[in-house]
């Protein structure tokens, strides 16, 4: 009788890897935690720079504007400055205003006093206080937690520009104003660089109502 041969199937080969030791697993977990903490710290540092820089610039601009306004109020309170102090009117025989003569010497002296007050802000220290809760990006934590204190130095470069405005104020009436634009370039020195901004504050140094036709205006440097 013929002998039947059984078909032999290939044996399945199973490869078993040894289980990672507990020390290696613990080190991997620690590495992941360290990377996460590092990424969070970098993000927090970037947000702190952005927030503190914006706050410092805003405080510097507010300080400049307040200084200009306070200086103008103090100077005007003396009662020495009025429209006739800065502008002379020339009339014809009929009493009609034919020209307006701006006294540039007095205007420049007035502007110099304002610029001097603004110049005192140069190298002023700005103190920034940011609660830690503000840095976490949650509205529930705003204003909470200990504060991060930062000190920054501001630099100022002021200048003044004179301009004249004529505006209709009714029938046969015109309002005339002389204005000084106090322009201040502000630089805030922060630990990671320098932030810059510019403020412009318009100051009315003289104004009056002109009845009748609008005269020509001549600007010179008369004393």
């Amino acid at each position: 009788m013929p002998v039947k041969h059984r078909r032999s199937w290939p044996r399945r080969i199973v490869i078993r890897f040894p289980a990672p030791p507990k020390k290696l697993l613990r080190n991997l977990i620690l590495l992941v935690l360290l990377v996460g903490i590092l990424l969070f710290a970098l993000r927090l540092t970037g947000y702190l720079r952005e927030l503190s820089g914006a706050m410092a610039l805003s405080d510097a601009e507010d300080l400049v504007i307040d200084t200009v306004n306070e200086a103008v109020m103090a100077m005007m309170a003396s009662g020495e400055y009025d429209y006739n102090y800065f502008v002379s009117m020339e009339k014809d025989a009929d009493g009609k205003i034919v020209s307006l003569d701006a006294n540039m010497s007095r205007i420049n002296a007035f502007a110099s006093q304002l610029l001097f007050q603004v110049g005192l802000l140069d190298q002023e220290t700005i103190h920034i206080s940011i609660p830690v809760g503000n840095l976490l990006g949650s509205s529930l934590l705003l204003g909470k937690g200990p504060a991060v204190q930062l000190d920054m130095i501001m630099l100022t470069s002021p200048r003044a520009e004179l301009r004249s405005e004529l505006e209709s104020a009714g029938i046969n009436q015109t309002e005339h104003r002389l204005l000084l634009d106090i322009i201040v370039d502000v630089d805030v020195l922060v630990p990671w660089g320098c932030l810059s901004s510019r403020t412009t504050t318009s100051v009315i140094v003289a104004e009056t109502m002109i009845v009748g036709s609008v005269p020509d205006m001549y600007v010179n440097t008369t004393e």
Side-chain angles (χ1 to χ4, degrees), residues 149-160:
Q149 304 290 339
L150 298 173
D151 293 337
M152 304 182 185
I153 304 297
M154 66 177 290
L155 305 175
T156 59
S157 178
R159 68 181 187 276

Side-chain angles (χ1 to χ4, degrees), residues 190-220:
V190 294
W192 54 90
C194 178
L195 303 175
S196 300
S197 179
R198 173 176 293 179
T199 66
T200 301
T201 306
S202 297
V203 177
I204 299 176
V205 297
E207 63 179 341
T208 192
M209 191 71 66
I210 300 174
V211 179
S213 59
V214 179
D216 296 328
M217 181 173 179
Y218 301 94
V219 178
N220 58 31

Side-chain angles (χ1 to χ4, degrees), residues 72 76 110 165 175-180 202-207:
V72 171
M76 289 300 186
F110 183 87
E165 288 185 353
E175 185 176 14
H176 176 235
R177 288 189 294 265
L178 280 181
L179 300 99
L180 279 176
S202 297
V203 177
I204 299 176
V205 297
E207 63 179 341

Side-chain angles (χ1 to χ4, degrees), residues 2 8 10 19-20 22 39 57 61 68 85 92 99 103 105 122 133 140 148-149 155 168 170 180 182 203 206 210:
S8 60
K22 293 182 178 180
L39 292 177
L57 272 182
E61 292 171 356
V68 172
Y85 180 83
D92 59 15
S99 69
N103 191 317
S105 294
D122 198 42
L140 299 177
V148 177
Q149 304 290 339
L155 305 175
S168 176
L180 279 176
I182 307 300
V203 177
I210 300 174

Side-chain angles (χ1 to χ4, degrees), residues 65-84:
I65 294 173
D66 290 344
T67 299
V68 172
N69 291 333
E70 290 174 3
V72 171
M73 291 178 61
M75 293 171 66
M76 289 300 186
S78 65
E80 178 183 357
Y81 305 104
D82 58 13
Y83 185 84
N84 294 328

